[in-house]
Amino acid sequence: MGFPSFLLRVVVLVVLAVPTWAQAGSYLRVVSWNLRHEGWTAEQTYREDAEQIWRQYGANSNSNNGCDLVFLQEVMNTSVVPAIVAELNAVSGVKWRYAQTPLIGRSSYKEIYAVLYREDTVSLLSSSVYEDTGDTFEREPQIIRVRHTPTGADYTFINWHTVWGNPSDRDAEVKQFGAVFKAVQDASRTDQDVILVGDHNMACTTASWANLVALSPTVACKLNVATTINLSGGYVNAYDHFWMQPEYVTEFSSAGRDYIGNTRDFVTRLADHAPIYLTLYSSSDTD
C-alpha cells in the first residue's frame, strides 16, 4: 500500500528539517595539561586527574563539563596514560583511547607526550614525533591529526613541552618553532588547521615568538593567562597556550584556564600547572 500524498509530504518535510551529523553544529572540547612528573612515586593521582579533566572543564564551577580530546605533557612512564584512561572511562561513562610517544629527551631525564580521545566523538588519524634532524629541541613535539566525527572537521595539533633549562635555552627553542609549525602545516595537503598546544615555559608576549607570529597567515596566541601555581595556591606565570592561524582555524570559539576549586590543595596533590581548555565549533570540515 502506498503512502497517502499528504503523509508523503509530511515525511519529506521532516527528513529535510532534521540535519545530518555533517550539517549539525557541534563543539570539539580540548584540554591541554602539564601533569608534573606524573607517574613518579608521589605523583600518581590518576582518579583525581580524570575527575579534573572531565568534571572541571571550563572557566567556573557552572561550566558545561565533559570534553573530547586531551593533550598531556610531563608523563614519566608508559603506565600512566592507560591508568588515567581507565579512570576517565569510569568517571565519564564513555570509552576513551590514547596514543603516547616513547620517552623523549637528550639526557637520562625523559618525558612522554600523550593524547587521549573519546571514541564516540574523535577519530585519531595519525600520531607521530616531529623529526628534529638538527637536534634543536630537548623534547621534539608530538604531532597529532584528528577528525571530529560529528562534523567531519579535521585538525592537526602540535603537543610541545619547551625545555626548562635557563632562559637562553628556552629562548633558543622558541625562536625555532616557526619553522616547525610551517613544516607540519606544509606536510598536509588537505588540512591547514594547525594548533600548537602545551607548556611553553614562556609568555606569548615575549619577542622570542616573532618567527612563529610572522608566518603567513599570522599565527596568534589564543590564551595568555597565568597557569602555573605556586605553593601558596597563587597563579604565577603564563606558560600554557594555544597558538593558531585565525584565518584557517575559523572554528575557534573560546579558550581559558580550567576551573580549580582549591588551588592550594590542587598544587599540593595534583600539579603545578592548571589545565587549559579550548572549544572549536563547526558544522563541517572547512579545509
Side-chain angles (χ1 to χ4, degrees), residues 247-262:
E247 185 170 325
Y248 289 145
V249 189
T250 56
E251 300 89 347
F252 174 79
S253 177
S254 64
R257 184 180 64 209
D258 264 346
Y259 174 73
I260 297 173
N262 184 331

Side-chain angles (χ1 to χ4, degrees), residues 60 193 240 268:
N60 56 64
D193 292 346
D240 303 87
T268 301

Side-chain angles (χ1 to χ4, degrees), residues 9-82:
R9 285 196 296 272
V10 169
V11 170
V12 170
L13 288 172
V14 169
V15 169
L16 291 175
V18 177
T20 65
W21 272 114
Q23 295 169 326
S26 180
Y27 287 99
L28 176 66
R29 298 163 298 175
V30 183
V31 169
S32 175
W33 191 8
N34 179 327
L35 284 173
R36 188 180 61 189
H37 298 142
E38 194 69 355
W40 285 4
T41 302
E43 303 285 353
Q44 298 178 5
T45 54
Y46 305 138
R47 172 52 69 103
E48 290 90 344
D49 295 340
E51 289 176 340
Q52 174 67 37
I53 289 167
W54 183 255
R55 295 177 177 160
Q56 307 300 341
Y57 181 93
N60 56 64
S61 60
N62 297 318
S63 298
N64 184 17
N65 301 144
C67 61
D68 306 287
L69 184 64
V70 181
F71 294 95
L72 300 178
Q73 306 91 43
E74 220 162 296
V75 172
M76 307 312 294
N77 63 64
T78 57
S79 65
V80 169
V81 177

Side-chain angles (χ1 to χ4, degrees), residues 107-237:
S107 66
S108 59
Y109 176 84
K110 301 181 188 298
E111 298 178 6
I112 291 170
Y113 297 108
V115 58
L116 288 57
Y117 59 98
R118 284 177 57 166
E119 278 189 350
D120 59 335
T121 58
V122 175
S123 296
L124 180 66
L125 303 180
S126 65
S127 172
S128 61
V129 175
Y130 178 75
E131 188 175 355
D132 183 17
T133 54
D135 195 24
T136 301
F137 303 102
E138 174 69 25
R139 289 175 293 271
E140 52 266 41
Q142 179 186 35
I143 312 301
I144 296 292
R145 293 187 64 236
V146 299
R147 176 165 298 144
H148 186 209
T149 50
T151 65
D154 292 345
Y155 303 95
T156 299
F157 289 88
I158 307 174
N159 185 16
W160 182 42
H161 184 195
T162 314
V163 66
W164 176 246
N166 57 56
S168 64
D169 295 331
R170 285 172 253 162
D171 183 70
E173 285 200 352
V174 168
K175 282 182 174 178
Q176 296 299 315
F177 213 80
V180 176
F181 193 99
K182 187 176 187 305
V184 170
Q185 189 170 60
D186 289 349
S188 174
R189 296 180 179 179
T190 58
D191 180 29
Q192 298 301 300
D193 292 346
V194 177
I195 301 171
L196 169 62
V197 308
D199 168 16
H200 305 140
N201 287 316
M202 187 177 291
C204 282
T205 50
T206 54
S208 307
W209 293 103
N211 288 338
L212 178 64
V213 173
L215 293 178
S216 181
T218 299
V219 180
C221 180
K222 291 298 187 178
L223 184 67
N224 195 44
V225 300
T227 53
T228 67
I229 309 170
N230 63 24
L231 293 178
S232 299
Y235 289 108
V236 186
N237 299 301

